[in-house]
């Protein structure tokens, strides 16, 4: 595999769109002694926000406060960060930007996962409000809700860079995309009308969008097994189906095996021409896993499961 294939297109000072990438709504205060890059500052501003702290009690898929080993929204964010940074580093992209987008992508997610998101959206419509979708709400949080104290005890908005804000609202991980090619235009992010309307403005944002799916597929299966919602035989059947689709042989279906498979595939198949891309084989594996998860995990009777 060829390393650093995207290095000429990374979000850095050599990128012709650099000034657009690092633009903020207002100038962010600076300390003379600050040694961080623009994106490192974004990362730490997200890390210290109240919205990030609240993720530790938000549901990823299963609400189970009595089990410390069930994935929460905060853990999912960290998984996406790990996957995306591994891919970005290999491809020669800006890891600091990738990390910041991953860290902030679900800040405005609803409680109780996508079930909670649907309920809030229903309530919004009943009261004549705009549709609720967590990508837009995450951007609203970082733009309008979350604040941090500066050196003079003045609370200020997070005021993140455009590239990070764009990556947050553009990350929609529910779409089946074999390849993600960045858009070339800097748009007003308020023009977003629905999830997935636009691809991200940076390649780093495209990596996070792909990594969002990679990070949750097998992890959700592990949680479903731990909670006895599915059994080992069902996962063994899935393994046999996947082995009919791929030249790679899965000896086990677990988070480490699946994440490694997809990371290597994305690194091997991505290019400027094709985008952040899966092979035909890996795309079929992903679709099969998503179908399995929806049938056996996501669309089951939640009330019956959690009582």
């Amino acid at each position: 595999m060829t390393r650093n294939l995207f290095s000429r297109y990374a979000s850095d000072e050599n990128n012709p769109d650099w000034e657009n990438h690092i633009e903020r709504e207002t100038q962010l205060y600076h300390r003379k002694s600050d040694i961080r890059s623009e994106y490192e500052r974004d990362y730490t501003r997200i890390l210290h926000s109240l919205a990030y702290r609240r993720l530790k009690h938000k549901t990823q898929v299963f609400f189970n406060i009595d089990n410390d080993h069930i994935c929460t929204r905060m853990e999912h964010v960290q998984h996406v960060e790990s996957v995306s940074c591994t891919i970005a580093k290999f491809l020669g992209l800006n890891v600091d930007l990738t990390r910041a987008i991953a860290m902030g992508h679900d800040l405005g997610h609803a409680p109780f996962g996508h079930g909670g998101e649907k309920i809030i959206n229903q309530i919004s419509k009943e009261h004549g409000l705009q549709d609720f979708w967590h990508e837009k709400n995450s951007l609203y949080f970082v733009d309008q809700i979350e604040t941090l104290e500066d050196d003079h005890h003045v609370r200020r908005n997070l005021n993140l860079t455009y590239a990070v804000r764009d990556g947050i609202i553009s990350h929609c991980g529910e779409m089946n995309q074999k390849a993600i090619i960045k858009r070339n235009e800097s748009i007003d992010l308020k023009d977003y009308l629905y999830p997935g309307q636009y691809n991200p403005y940076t390649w780093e944002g495209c990596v996070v969008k792909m990594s969002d799916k990679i990070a949750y597929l097998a992890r959700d299966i592990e949680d479903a097994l731990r909670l006895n919602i599915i059994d080992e035989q069902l996962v063994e059947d899935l393994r046999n189906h996947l082995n009919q689709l791929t030249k790679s042989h899965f000896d086990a279906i677990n988070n480490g095996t699946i994440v490694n498979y997809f990371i290597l595939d994305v690194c091997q198949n991505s290019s400027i021409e094709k985008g952040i891309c899966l092979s035909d084989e890996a795309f079929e594996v992903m679709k099969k896993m998503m179908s399995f998860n929806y049938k056996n995990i996501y669309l089951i009777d939640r009330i019956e499961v959690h009582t």
Side-chain angles (χ1 to χ4, degrees), residues 18 20 38 75 112 123 125 140 142 174 250 268 271-272 290 295:
W18 173 244
N20 290 337
E38 295 290 342
E75 290 172 69
F112 306 108
I123 295 172
K125 289 182 177 180
Y140 179 69
V142 300
E174 304 307 303
F250 292 112
Q268 186 172 18
S271 68
I272 297 301
M290 290 188 77
K295 178 182 178 181

Side-chain angles (χ1 to χ4, degrees), residues 3 41 69 74 81 101 104 106 108 113 148 174 224 231 276:
R3 291 178 178 271
R41 294 196 74 186
H69 304 129
M74 178 177 282
E81 180 185 343
I101 295 172
D106 271 355
L148 291 173
E174 304 307 303
D231 58 31
I276 303 303

